[in-house]
Amino acid sequence: MSIDPSVQVALVSAGGAVTAALVGVLVELVRRQGRVMGEVREHVANTHSTNLRDDLDQVVDGMSRVLEGQADHAEQLAYLRREMAHERVERLAVAERLDEHLSRTAAPPIN
């Protein structure tokens, strides 16, 4: 089966046009991807002298120390609350004993 030369030329021309269109689309996609990658690089590129991982490790170490200090403060506050509750109980007991003592030793009213 033989294809007419004019059909062959049309097929080759159409194939070339499709190929050119695909190449154009691919070039545009690569260009857009390059622009996006540039934006990403701008956000993640290290512009200072230290490594980002080292910086994060220092932050994590600092947070660990803060959390340890916070736990220590929580223990100290709990201790102070217990002490205040104990002092309150003792103060109320002294006030009650003083009231009883004053009521027993109070001078009779003068008429």
Side-chain angles (χ1 to χ4, degrees):
M1 172 164 152
S2 170
I3 299 177
D4 186 61
S6 63
V7 173
Q8 290 177 354
V9 169
L11 287 174
V12 169
S13 296
V18 168
T19 302
L22 288 175
V23 167
V25 168
L26 290 174
V27 166
E28 178 62 20
L29 288 175
V30 168
R31 186 186 66 76
R32 287 182 184 180
Q33 186 178 12
R35 188 180 70 235
V36 169
M37 291 301 290
E39 291 175 6
V40 169
R41 179 170 307 225
E42 181 181 324
H43 290 285
V44 298
N46 196 4
T47 57
H48 47 85
S49 62
T50 59
N51 189 340
L52 180 60
R53 182 69 216 176
D54 294 337
D55 293 346
L56 288 176
D57 288 343
Q58 287 179 350
V59 169
V60 169
D61 289 342
M63 287 300 295
S64 296
R65 286 193 302 268
V66 167
L67 292 174
E68 289 170 4
Q70 192 174 17
D72 185 46
H73 289 158
E75 290 175 17
Q76 291 175 5
L77 286 172
Y79 174 77
L80 289 173
R81 285 185 187 116
R82 288 190 302 270
E83 285 293 312
M84 287 178 65
H86 180 72
E87 291 293 328
R88 186 176 296 124
V89 168
E90 286 183 352
R91 182 178 44 82
L92 291 173
V94 167
E96 186 176 323
R97 286 195 315 264
L98 181 61
D99 288 344
E100 288 174 6
H101 176 73
L102 289 176
S103 66
R104 284 192 314 253
T105 60
I110 299 176
N111 287 337

